[in-house]
Amino acid sequence: MKPAHGFALIALSVAASGVYTSDVHAQRTFPNRPIELVVPFSPGGGSGITGEMMKKIISDENLSPQPVNINYKPGASGQIGWTYLATKKGNAHTIATATQSFSYGFVLKQMQVKPEDFTPIAMMLTDTQLMAAHPSAGVKTIKELLAAAQKNPGGVRVGGTGAAGSDANLAVMINSATKVKLNYIPFKSGGDVNAAILGGHLEAALGNPNELAGYVESGKLVPLVVFSDARIPGLKDVPTMKEMGYNVVSRSVRGVVAPAGISKQEEQALVEMMRKITQSKQWAEYAAKNMMTVNFLGGADYAKYLAEERERLSETLKALGKL
């Protein structure tokens, strides 16, 4: 197999800078076994789809001399998978996808681990959320759904991923802003949410566009509203919640984290791998198709973003009376 160019270039630059030979050797030999990519949700959801795309690009672009194996560890709004990752201290061959629920886990004190138990590797995409209804619900707009919820408090079932992550808290934000009572029902992953709403067991669902847009395009679901600052490409006819008079905005990023205790050389190698993924044509096409924005921040910059995100979420949850 030809050398993975991302890692070879890093090794050469490190050698040229006069770093100790042992460090150069570590750089050249990483990864020296398969990389375990933990997805803390069930297959079929946004994180699973993104993880599978990352794996494909790493293989297609020859970004690693070793294969990537995906390990799905769903449960507790992603906290089972991230807690598992934290137990792999010093093991750079185990990494995980991260969403806004990663930050929620710390803010809500749902994990027994701390932010210091992880090494932020890279932010790779910016995402938002979409609400879509099942045709049997008999609503075509968010106003109609809210009116139905007002007439029947708790009778409008809205599914989302996790009992305490971004979908769950978005439901709280909607209820608080609109003064209605949606009945939020948590599932382990976006794939489980999709199965429930397509089966007619929910009136509406919350999810990232890449989880729901395909069903919207096929007519199986009715798009109601997006929670971005402005309308998003691919769903230009779907209004934002702000347009409806409610300042309910939810944006999330998709990134990658590693355990604490890995070497700086291993961290940089992983950062460069993720950078090259985001620079690929396949990644750009994937983002465009799923109405996401390619947005790269590596290493310390991503760590700063995550710290600021935890602060923002803390302020939001305090305002909602959840902290």
Side-chain angles (χ1 to χ4, degrees), residues 274-292:
M274 301 308 147
R275 186 195 307 275
K276 289 183 181 299
I277 290 175
T278 63
Q279 292 172 341
S280 70
K281 181 180 178 181
Q282 285 188 74
W283 194 252
E285 292 173 345
Y286 169 67
K289 179 181 178 181
N290 292 285
M291 290 154 278
M292 296 182 283

Side-chain angles (χ1 to χ4, degrees), residues 232-311:
I232 61 177
L235 291 173
K236 292 183 178 179
D237 293 332
V238 181
T240 67
M241 201 66 172
K242 292 179 76 172
E243 289 178 57
M244 298 296 101
Y246 304 107
N247 188 26
V248 179
V249 175
S250 180
R251 65 181 66 86
S252 181
V253 302
R254 295 189 181 278
V256 171
V257 293
I262 67 174
S263 73
K264 285 296 181 182
Q265 290 74 32
E266 290 168 333
E267 176 186 342
Q268 187 59 31
L270 288 168
V271 169
E272 288 304 314
M273 179 194 287
M274 301 308 147
R275 186 195 307 275
K276 289 183 181 299
I277 290 175
T278 63
Q279 292 172 341
S280 70
K281 181 180 178 181
Q282 285 188 74
W283 194 252
E285 292 173 345
Y286 169 67
K289 179 181 178 181
N290 292 285
M291 290 154 278
M292 296 182 283
T293 302
V294 177
N295 194 356
F296 181 85
L297 287 177
D301 291 333
Y302 182 39
K304 180 182 177 183
Y305 173 88
L306 289 174
E308 292 172 347
E309 182 175 64
R310 292 193 293 273
E311 289 294 325

Side-chain angles (χ1 to χ4, degrees), residues 30-314:
F30 176 81
N32 56 23
R33 61 182 186 273
I35 294 173
E36 178 185 11
L37 175 58
V38 178
V39 174
F41 300 96
S42 299
S47 291
I49 296 169
T50 301
E52 295 289 352
M53 179 55 64
M54 290 169 58
K55 175 181 177 179
K56 183 177 186 302
I57 293 173
I58 290 170
S59 176
D60 291 351
E61 299 289 328
N62 194 32
L63 299 183
S64 169
Q66 295 287 336
V68 173
N69 297 323
I70 295 181
N71 183 5
Y72 288 96
K73 283 191 168 294
S77 300
Q79 309 313 322
I80 289 176
W82 291 313
T83 301
Y84 165 79
L85 180 69
T87 68
K88 301 294 184 177
K89 184 176 181 179
N91 178 7
H93 289 84
T94 302
I95 59 178
T97 60
T99 63
Q100 193 176 64
S101 292
F102 180 68
S103 293
Y104 270 120
F106 297 118
V107 173
L108 294 170
K109 296 180 173 58
Q110 295 169 325
M111 290 196 285
Q112 297 180 348
V113 293
K114 307 178 296 298
E116 293 75 25
D117 294 316
F118 300 89
T119 302
I121 299 300
M123 172 199 294
M124 303 179 73
L125 290 168
T126 301
D127 210 346
T128 186
Q129 282 158 290
L130 165 71
M131 180 186 281
H134 191 275
S136 66
V139 298
K140 294 184 178 180
T141 67
I142 184 62
K143 285 186 176 180
E144 292 176 354
L145 183 84
L146 295 175
Q150 192 169 39
K151 291 180 182 178
N152 184 16
V156 175
R157 300 164 299 178
V158 178
T161 301
S166 55
D167 288 352
N169 285 290
L170 177 56
V172 172
M173 292 166 66
I174 296 169
N175 285 346
S176 177
T178 63
K179 310 304 181 188
V180 303
K181 186 179 180 181
L182 298 173
N183 180 11
Y184 177 77
I185 300 175
F187 293 85
K188 286 186 176 181
S189 75
D192 295 332
V193 176
N194 292 346
I197 190 169
L198 292 172
H201 305 298
L202 300 169
E203 281 67 55
L206 291 168
N208 300 118
N210 70 334
E211 296 171 315
L212 299 172
Y215 301 111
V216 168
E217 292 171 0
S218 66
K220 293 181 179 179
L221 295 179
V222 180
L224 300 180
V225 68
V226 292
F227 298 90
S228 48
D229 290 297
R231 296 194 183 196
I232 61 177
L235 291 173
K236 292 183 178 179
D237 293 332
V238 181
T240 67
M241 201 66 172
K242 292 179 76 172
E243 289 178 57
M244 298 296 101
Y246 304 107
N247 188 26
V248 179
V249 175
S250 180
R251 65 181 66 86
S252 181
V253 302
R254 295 189 181 278
V256 171
V257 293
I262 67 174
S263 73
K264 285 296 181 182
Q265 290 74 32
E266 290 168 333
E267 176 186 342
Q268 187 59 31
L270 288 168
V271 169
E272 288 304 314
M273 179 194 287
M274 301 308 147
R275 186 195 307 275
K276 289 183 181 299
I277 290 175
T278 63
Q279 292 172 341
S280 70
K281 181 180 178 181
Q282 285 188 74
W283 194 252
E285 292 173 345
Y286 169 67
K289 179 181 178 181
N290 292 285
M291 290 154 278
M292 296 182 283
T293 302
V294 177
N295 194 356
F296 181 85
L297 287 177
D301 291 333
Y302 182 39
K304 180 182 177 183
Y305 173 88
L306 289 174
E308 292 172 347
E309 182 175 64
R310 292 193 293 273
E311 289 294 325
R312 289 195 302 271
L313 294 178
S314 294

